[in-house]
Amino acid sequence: MTNTDAPRVTLGPSDLAVSPLALGGNVFGWTADTAQSFAVLDAYAAAGGNFLDTADVYSAWVPGNSGGESETVIGEWLRSRGNREQIVVATKVGMLAGLDNLRPETIRRGAEESLRRLGVERIDLFYTHRDDPQTPVEEIVTTLDALVREGKVREVAASNIGPERLAASLEFAAREGLAKYVAVQPHYNLVSRDTYEGPLADVAAEHGLSAVPYYALASGFLTGKYRPGAAVDSARAQGAGRYLEEPRGLRVLAALDEVAAAHGTQVAAVALAWLAAQPTVAAPLASARTVEQLPPLLAAASLELTAAELKLLSEASA
């Protein structure tokens, strides 16, 4: 069951009302098997969550996988729980081997295959997973618009795109009366700010787009479990551990500890609450491999940081 009284935010100019925490599906079919994935999905929905994020490429990097595993798990969960109408499903095209471009035929084939794996008639939010500079924005936008008009996609969005191509896409769509991107999915967190802040965030703000940042917890570093001298058993440990080698990483951890202690909450909740308070950000994206990892992520939605706390964190991460 989904808690229908849970808080919701609207994505850009769309009518998509989503949870202020998007649940990442990259771990489903990878570090979480079907039973674990179902448990996490059940707990997220029970807490009022309704915004699932996946992609056709999840998790093609695992030996023996070919991509689409996460979509398949989510599709099985939706069918078994009978809650399709309560859940907003976002998926992506453009990074799976063989479908790693944004040519019209690729976008269309990617959408059809995602619809089949998810077992749904319409994708709620369909992202271009990364930009394809070899394909004109006019072709990309026109193809996405056709999918919307056919009822196969509800809204469209863009991930890993530069400000110039994003602006060109939005301007072409507006000029031609075609479906416009309503959201962007940038790499953005307390230890990676220049990956979004600046020209890209400016274009999003100018056009009223919402941001759904990925790597919101910096591969787990911003959960606070990575400390000097601590060993962590995680598939992402190497990536997260590198932040300990930067003075900024240690400054951010110290600031997070201080704010978390003041609120009696966990470091991850504070990191996500800071992100959610930034301009254009609607719903940070985070994943949980186990049910035990969910509470601090969900707690971020109700955590109100003071102006002084936001300033402390922003200065530590500068």
Side-chain angles (χ1 to χ4, degrees):
M1 288 294 292
T2 300
N3 176 1
T4 52
D5 297 324
R8 297 286 183 254
V9 291
T10 304
L11 288 182
S14 77
D15 62 355
L16 290 177
V18 301
S19 306
L21 172 78
L23 184 65
N26 58 319
V27 295
F28 303 149
W30 175 27
T31 53
D33 63 21
T34 299
Q36 289 173 304
S37 301
F38 275 34
V40 168
L41 287 160
D42 284 342
Y44 173 71
N50 79 330
F51 191 17
L52 302 182
D53 182 276
T54 186
D56 59 358
V57 74
Y58 302 162
S59 48
W61 55 85
V62 179
N65 284 5
S66 56
E69 287 79 16
S70 171
E71 290 178 326
T72 299
V73 168
I74 290 171
E76 290 171 354
W77 178 75
L78 291 171
R79 279 191 299 280
S80 68
R81 302 305 186 256
N83 60 355
R84 170 67 188 104
E85 295 308 311
Q86 286 78 53
I87 303 295
V88 175
V89 179
T91 194
K92 314 179 193 79
V93 65
M95 284 183 67
L96 180 64
L99 294 173
D100 50 355
N101 60 72
L102 296 178
R103 293 194 289 270
E105 60 273 21
T106 299
I107 293 175
R108 184 167 284 282
R109 184 178 146 202
E112 297 289 357
E113 292 185 3
S114 289
L115 285 165
R116 178 179 54 76
R117 284 188 295 263
L118 288 163
V120 298
E121 293 183 358
R122 183 170 67 168
I123 296 162
D124 296 311
L125 187 64
F126 193 46
Y127 288 94
T128 53
H129 204 160
R130 68 177 171 206
D131 192 25
D132 170 16
Q134 306 306 313
T135 302
V137 295
E138 293 82 1
E139 290 185 16
I140 297 169
V141 171
T142 301
T143 307
L144 292 170
D145 175 77
L147 290 170
V148 172
R149 290 175 189 269
E150 292 165 19
K152 293 175 180 175
V153 168
R154 189 167 166 188
E155 300 284 356
V156 295
S159 180
N160 300 305
I161 190 171
E164 298 83 5
R165 291 267 292 185
L166 178 60
S169 302
L170 291 162
E171 287 156 11
F172 172 73
R175 191 166 64 244
E176 299 298 321
L178 305 178
K180 287 193 291 187
Y181 295 138
V182 300
V184 287
Q185 189 174 115
H187 176 187
Y188 186 34
N189 59 55
L190 266 168
V191 287
S192 183
R193 293 176 56 182
D194 60 359
T195 45
Y196 181 56
E197 292 177 7
L200 182 58
D202 291 344
V203 173
E206 179 188 347
H207 292 269
L209 272 61
S210 289
V212 182
Y214 71 89
Y215 286 156
L217 291 172
S219 298
F221 176 73
L222 296 172
T223 64
K225 66 184 176 184
Y226 296 88
R227 305 280 178 168
V232 177
D233 179 19
S234 168
R236 300 170 169 189
Q238 192 173 356
R242 74 179 186 274
Y243 296 110
L244 290 173
E245 299 165 12
E246 307 169 4
R248 179 174 60 174
L250 295 175
R251 286 200 312 269
V252 166
L253 281 183
L256 286 168
D257 286 341
E258 182 181 331
V259 177
H263 287 271
T265 191
Q266 290 174 276
V267 163
V270 176
L272 293 173
W274 175 86
L275 195 55
Q278 302 312 302
T280 74
V281 174
L285 173 62
S287 56
R289 183 173 49 84
T290 66
V291 172
E292 291 72 28
Q293 293 174 347
L294 263 181
L297 311 184
L298 296 166
S302 56
L303 180 58
E304 290 282 340
L305 301 182
T306 67
E309 288 167 340
L310 290 168
K311 182 169 182 278
L312 173 74
L313 291 161
S314 294
E315 289 177 350
S317 66

